[in-house]
């Protein structure tokens, strides 16, 4: 290779390396398998448990002047397993205060405190429904196929680039040899003309 008067030898391996390193399609295509791997992990996220919490306060007053205050707190954990099992765990705690007033005397007649707690655990394992595939497993399978496709596309793109560089390299060698042969033919023709 001649650049600004300096001759530099360029082998096939170095030509391929330069083509792959400086090719923007390869730089872009290199991210496709990484993004597809992230999609597989995102699809597996459907199996992550969900934590929920809630609370509230209710105050009411009836026509007779009775006040009713209720505080409640709910905490839960739910999710799905790869086997198709769905689980749910929950805890609910509430506390109530009921106060009665006398409208004639304006004094408190009675106060009643009440509290309660409920714990719920539920596990569901369908026997036949979604036996072979369910939406979550289907999405994971599709994501894995797309990962394989993106890896193969990247490999195919690399093979295309290497093939074109090899083709161009061997065409360049053939052209160089053709020039050398023609120069020798001219030299021989000159010698015969003398």
């Amino acid at each position: 290779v001649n650049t600004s008067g300096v001759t530099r030898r360029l082998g096939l391996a170095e030509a391929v390396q330069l083509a792959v390193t400086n090719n923007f399609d390869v730089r872009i295509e290199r991210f496709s398998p990484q993004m597809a791997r992230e999609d597989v992990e995102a699809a597996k996220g459907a199996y992550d448990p969900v934590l929920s919490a809630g609370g509230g306060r209710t105050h009411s007053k009836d026509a007779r002047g009775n006040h009713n205050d209720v505080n409640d707190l709910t905490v839960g954990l739910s999710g799905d397993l790869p086997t198709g099992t769905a689980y749910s765990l929950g805890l609910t705690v509430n506390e109530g205060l009921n106060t009665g007033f006398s409208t004639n005397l304006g004094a408190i007649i009675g106060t009643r405190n009440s509290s309660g707690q409920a714990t719920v655990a539920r596990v569901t394992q369908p026997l036949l429904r979604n036996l072979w595939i369910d939406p979550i497993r289907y999405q994971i399978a599709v994501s894995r196929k797309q990962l394989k496709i993106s890896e193969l596309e990247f490999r195919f793109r690399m093979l295309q680039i290497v093939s074109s560089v090899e083709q161009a390299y061997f065409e360049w060698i053939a052209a160089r040899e053709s020039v050398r042969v023609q120069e020798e033919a001219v030299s021989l023709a000159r010698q015969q003309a003398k």
Side-chain angles (χ1 to χ4, degrees), residues 47 80-87 124-126 129-130 134 137:
Y47 293 122
D80 295 317
L81 299 176
T83 59
T85 303
Y87 61 90
T124 306
Q125 176 64 55
R129 186 185 60 175
N130 299 332
D134 60 16
R137 285 185 280 186

Side-chain angles (χ1 to χ4, degrees), residues 6 11 16 29 31 33 51 57 59 63 67 70 74 90 92 109 114 119 139 141 147 156 163-164 167 181:
V6 177
V16 168
E29 199 70 36
F31 289 108
L51 178 65
R57 178 177 173 89
H59 174 77
H67 293 272
V70 177
T74 304
T92 301
I109 293 178
S114 64
T119 305
Q139 185 60 45
L147 170 61
F156 178 70
S163 175
S164 353
Q167 181 72 27
V181 167

Side-chain angles (χ1 to χ4, degrees), residues 26 33 75 114 187:
V26 171
V75 178
S114 64
S187 175

Side-chain angles (χ1 to χ4, degrees), residues 139-169:
Q139 185 60 45
I140 291 171
V142 167
S143 297
R144 285 184 177 149
K145 297 284 184 191
Q146 288 173 337
L147 170 61
K148 188 69 172 169
I149 289 169
S150 67
E151 288 172 343
L152 290 173
E153 284 176 344
F154 178 69
R155 185 172 181 200
F156 178 70
R157 184 69 183 134
M158 292 293 290
L159 289 173
Q160 279 182 322
I161 291 169
V162 169
S163 175
S164 353
V165 169
E166 286 177 346
Q167 181 72 27
Y169 184 81

Side-chain angles (χ1 to χ4, degrees), residues 78-97:
S78 61
D80 295 317
L81 299 176
T83 59
T85 303
Y87 61 90
S88 174
L89 305 169
L91 173 66
T92 301
V93 178
N94 59 31
E95 175 186 58
L97 177 63

Side-chain angles (χ1 to χ4, degrees), residues 7 34 38 41 111 113 183:
T7 301
Q34 293 172 357
E38 295 300 322
E41 292 304 314
T111 302
N113 245 344
E183 286 174 347

Side-chain angles (χ1 to χ4, degrees), residues 94-108:
N94 59 31
E95 175 186 58
L97 177 63
N98 189 327
T99 308
F101 288 93
S102 169
T103 54
N104 295 336
L105 303 174
I108 296 175

